[in-house]
């Protein structure tokens, strides 16, 4: 197996909290934008506003990195870009494989941000024989039967799953067995993985549902009260129907009056 799979980000050994790790990419994105505009230094307040956090939290996060701004000057942008990139493991090339090249998978494959952030798409894999050999984002799609060989030959430690929900766990199991230790999951299901394997879940429908919740609350506030939900209509329950409605622990739920 390729030794590249055993690399782990330096953040864990240094005891940086997971919440801080989750914010580092936000800081890096804001800093990269500043760097592209040739901005040499930035204050904690300016950088915090660009990253969407408060300045006290930013200063605390940077203290874990051993980085402290200069009073009256701020933080050196280029140095922070390097420092955060190093902590996130982005100063080396990370080959990834993407499994499931449907509409979502193809869109992800065409995303240009992977290469600029230290990730190289080593292979696109699909279970549909008709997809094999077809170019997507300039790469030919490879067949799922070759997954283990592809992972081994490319020293892959990060896998992206964009399959339908029903196929995701099996694909996950095969990736893990092949040596993949980090998975980005776009499939609408929860994956079960052994200790030592990290999974990040991206579910667009859940994010939309959370936004819908907030929109409903806003509508209620604008109307001077809680949002009005449609009433639940219940059919009258017969004795037989009531007998059939057992609770999860075998208890009998109360029959709702008509």
């Amino acid at each position: 197996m390729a030794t590249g799979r055993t690399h782990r980000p330096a953040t864990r050994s240094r005891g940086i909290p997971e919440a801080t790790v989750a914010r580092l990419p936000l800081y890096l994105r804001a800093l990269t934008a500043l760097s592209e505009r040739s901005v040499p230094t930035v204050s904690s307040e300016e950088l915090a506003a660009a990253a969407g956090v408060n300045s006290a939290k930013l200063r605390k996060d940077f203290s874990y990195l051993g980085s402290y701004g200069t009073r009256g000057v701020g933080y050196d942008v280029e140095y922070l870009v390097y420092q955060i990139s190093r902590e996130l493991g982005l100063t080396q090339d990370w080959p990834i494989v993407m499994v499931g090249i449907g509409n979502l998978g193809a869109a992800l494959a065409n995303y240009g941000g992977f290469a600029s952030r230290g990730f190289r798409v080593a292979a696109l894999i699909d279970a549909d024989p008709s997809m094999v050999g077809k170019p997507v984002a300039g790469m030919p799609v490879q067949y799922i039967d070759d997954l283990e060989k592809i992972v081994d030959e490319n020293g892959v430690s990060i896998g992206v799953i964009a399959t339908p929900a029903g196929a995701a766990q099996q694909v996950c199991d095969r990736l893990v067995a092949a040596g993949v230790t980090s998975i980005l999951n776009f499939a609408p299901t929860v994956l079960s993985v052994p200790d030592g394997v990290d999974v990040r879940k991206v579910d667009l429908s859940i994010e939309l549902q959370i936004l819908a919740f907030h929109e409903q609350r806003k509508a209620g506030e604008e109307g001077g009260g809680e949002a009005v939900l449609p009433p639940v209509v219940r059919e009258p329950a017969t004795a037989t129907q009531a007998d059939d409605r057992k609770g999860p622990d075998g208890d009998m739920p109360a029959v709702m009056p008509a």
Side-chain angles (χ1 to χ4, degrees):
M1 295 290 180
T3 57
R5 294 195 203 105
T6 62
H7 290 309
R8 308 304 297 166
T11 51
R12 291 185 175 181
S13 62
R14 293 179 53 161
I16 299 177
E18 286 295 329
T20 295
V21 174
R23 286 189 290 269
L24 292 182
L26 304 179
Y27 301 139
L28 182 58
R29 181 175 60 189
L31 287 162
T32 301
L34 292 171
S35 176
E36 290 172 350
R37 288 160 38 203
S38 299
V39 176
T41 59
V42 62
S43 69
S44 59
E45 289 78 11
E46 291 169 333
L47 183 53
V53 303
N54 66 64
S55 57
K57 185 174 293 183
L58 177 143
R59 288 190 291 268
K60 180 66 173 178
D61 288 342
F62 284 0
S63 72
Y64 290 111
L65 308 181
S67 184
Y68 301 91
T70 303
R71 184 177 295 276
V73 177
Y75 293 92
D76 183 289
V77 170
E78 291 300 331
Y79 178 68
L80 269 184
V81 167
Y82 165 74
Q83 194 174 24
I84 294 176
S85 296
R86 183 188 62 190
E87 289 296 334
L88 290 174
L90 303 182
T91 54
Q92 68 183 79
D93 178 59
W94 290 99
I96 65 175
V97 294
M98 189 174 300
V99 185
I101 314 302
N103 291 333
L104 177 58
L108 292 171
N110 279 285
Y111 172 58
F114 287 126
S116 65
R117 288 167 173 81
F119 301 96
R120 174 177 58 86
V121 179
L124 305 176
I125 303 173
D126 201 273
D128 183 357
S130 67
M131 286 288 296
V132 176
K134 288 186 176 181
V136 175
M139 298 182 64
V141 176
Q142 301 186 61
Y143 195 44
I144 190 71
D145 281 3
D146 298 322
L147 183 149
E148 288 79 7
K149 178 182 177 183
I150 293 167
V151 168
D152 183 59
E153 289 182 346
N154 290 278
V156 173
S157 59
I158 301 176
V160 179
I161 297 177
T163 66
Q169 185 62 58
Q170 183 180 11
V171 168
C172 175
D173 292 343
R174 289 184 61 180
L175 286 171
V176 171
V180 169
T181 51
S182 292
I183 293 173
L184 181 60
N185 178 33
F186 284 88
T189 187
V190 175
L191 298 176
S192 175
V193 297
D195 291 340
V197 176
D198 296 313
V199 176
R200 297 288 296 181
K201 178 85 171 70
V202 181
D203 193 320
L204 302 181
S205 64
I206 286 179
E207 299 303 322
L208 286 171
Q209 289 167 9
I210 293 171
L211 289 175
F213 167 81
H214 290 296
E215 286 302 310
Q216 178 177 260
R217 293 291 294 270
K218 291 175 192 173
E221 291 171 359
E222 290 172 0
E226 294 185 0
V228 178
L229 300 178
V232 177
V233 179
R234 295 183 175 88
E235 294 293 333
T238 64
T240 302
Q241 290 172 331
D243 290 342
D244 291 338
R245 289 208 304 255
K246 297 285 187 180
D249 298 318
D251 57 317
M252 183 72 69
V255 178
M256 296 298 297

